[in-house]
Amino acid sequence: MLSPERRAAMNTGAEHWPGTSWYESKAGSRDWPVFEGRQRCRVAIVGAGLAGIATAIGLIERGLEDVVVLDDQGPGAGASGRNGGFVFAGYSLGNDALIGQVGEEAAARLHGYTRDAVALIRRRIERFGIECHVNDAGVLLADWFDEAETMQATAERMRRRLGFELEWIPAARMNDWVRSNRYGGGLLEPGSFHFHPLRHIRGLAERIETAGGRVFGRSRALSVDRSSGRWRVETERGTLEADELVLATGGYDRKLVPSVQRALQPVATYIAVTEPLGDRLPRHLPRPVAVYDTRFAFDYYRPLPDTRLLWGGRISMASRSPAAIRRLMRRDLARVFPDLENVQLEYAWGGWMSYARHEMPLLGRNRDGVWHALAFGGHGMATTTLAGEIMAEALCGDGRRLAEFERWRPVWAGGPLGRAVGQGIYWQAQLRDRLRDRRSHL
């Protein structure tokens, strides 16, 4: 039987894409002021996901408080407040691919930036007193294919080539972390953690307001143009003039600055949350780690403070109803924890990640002078925070780190055809995983 709160949510339209998240139900509603009239600022940021909010925080920390953030809904309404809550290092582009593109020295430096960003997120949570359910048990990569030698070789290669330390957990010890016959060993990332992403980003947005910045919700940017050396952003109820303009809209807008946003490919992922499991939860997760696995379209899951299990996964170009998401997530959950097959999935939702074809973030400034921070894929917490730091540095006159990302430019993602091709690539990768799985368990 569904809980009363879940039945109420289902009666208010939460059973349509993208659904209502567990995060929203626990954090409650937050009414952000609506932008009205004619206002001015030094820096206007369009998009109140973590990239935009982190840019504003970075500017404020560097002494530039005259910043305005505009969003169609409010901070964290998109992927930054609806994701799995994993905070760990790396980019959507795999580490070995990154080394192949830029060489060991540059790859080690770039990867190190993301590790620094993980630590920065943790410091800001403590400094600003943000209550966001931080769990320092860490993030564990579980070996789906039972390939111990491959996993250990990966750990050694990352240590040697990137300076990235991972702790090898042999299969004989995995029951101390996660109890499932599905896995071999695992790799634990020191310093990683998991948390409530919506509470986190709202806490940062409130810090912006306290420090003198301005954050507006329900204030969609309808158009932008430059005149007499200043940017003008039009919303339904007003006009914002700014010296500088930062675009940080992610996969939720692709029309405001088409020359950049045409490079984005929105990709869906799905999440469900169980009923409270009580003492069944530690029987499956003796240590409260966040877990993902070694497949292309992996499961990801973590324990929540109220003894629920958050379960996510799949990669798709399709939006699905929460009912369909529940069916998919239940099937995936049962493969790992068969005795949880019949638990109630009281929440189910989806969201759009944004990818570029090269799988790296789009950080830069276009010919018209629009700064942009977009396309963070499935590694958004660290990389969006890093992007905010890099944008703030550049806006304050230090563009050295921004220049390191110029090689990954906005390349047209192909529009509807690109989405179809992308879905075909994902299906092909999933087929390879299934064949590999069969071979590994013969």
Side-chain angles (χ1 to χ4, degrees), residues 86-88 137-141 187-189 192-194 289-290 292:
F86 287 46
V87 186
F88 60 139
V139 175
L140 177 68
L141 174 61
L187 295 174
L188 181 69
E189 182 177 326
S192 59
F193 60 96
H194 52 101
V289 290
Y292 68 115

Side-chain angles (χ1 to χ4, degrees), residues 289-328:
V289 290
V291 181
Y292 68 115
D293 66 64
T294 51
R295 291 171 298 164
F296 175 81
F298 49 78
D299 300 324
Y300 55 91
Y301 55 93
R302 66 185 188 91
L304 299 176
D306 55 0
T307 76
R308 299 174 191 267
L309 184 66
L310 179 149
W311 191 279
R314 305 280 175 149
I315 296 175
S316 175
M317 298 297 184
S319 59
R320 287 186 166 91
S321 70
I325 292 171
R326 282 190 183 89
R327 288 193 294 271
L328 292 171

Side-chain angles (χ1 to χ4, degrees), residues 174-192:
M174 276 291 278
N175 275 347
D176 295 336
W177 301 83
V178 53
R179 291 177 182 163
S180 172
N181 295 328
R182 179 63 264 182
Y183 304 129
L187 295 174
L188 181 69
E189 182 177 326
S192 59

Side-chain angles (χ1 to χ4, degrees), residues 109-249:
R109 185 170 60 252
L110 289 165
H111 193 275
Y113 293 160
T114 68
R115 302 198 297 273
D116 293 343
V118 171
L120 177 60
I121 294 169
R122 194 68 178 84
R123 289 196 304 273
R124 283 176 172 164
I125 290 170
E126 294 180 0
R127 189 190 324 150
F128 302 150
I130 301 173
E131 297 292 337
C132 56
H133 303 167
V134 172
N135 190 316
D136 288 312
V139 175
L140 177 68
L141 174 61
D143 181 9
W144 185 270
F145 301 108
D146 197 14
E147 296 175 339
E149 290 184 4
T150 299
M151 295 286 281
Q152 292 178 78
T154 296
E156 170 58 23
R157 190 168 64 254
M158 295 302 99
R159 182 198 64 78
R160 176 171 45 84
R161 305 189 75 180
L162 296 181
F164 180 34
E165 300 286 347
L166 295 165
E167 180 185 350
W168 166 241
I169 310 294
R173 290 180 51 212
M174 276 291 278
N175 275 347
D176 295 336
W177 301 83
V178 53
R179 291 177 182 163
S180 172
N181 295 328
R182 179 63 264 182
Y183 304 129
L187 295 174
L188 181 69
E189 182 177 326
S192 59
F193 60 96
H194 52 101
F195 69 172
H196 189 305
L198 183 57
R199 284 180 179 264
H200 169 248
I201 194 169
R202 285 183 179 178
L204 292 177
E206 289 165 0
R207 175 63 181 176
I208 292 168
E209 293 182 319
T210 300
R214 290 166 280 171
V215 179
F216 296 98
R218 295 168 292 155
S219 301
R220 183 181 182 86
L222 302 176
S223 65
V224 298
D225 67 84
R226 191 171 177 85
S227 176
S228 302
R230 291 181 64 81
W231 287 100
R232 187 168 60 247
V233 183
E234 298 289 348
T235 72
E236 288 185 355
R237 299 190 186 182
T239 301
L240 175 63
E241 293 185 355
D243 297 332
E244 302 286 358
L245 175 65
V246 180
L247 181 70
T249 50

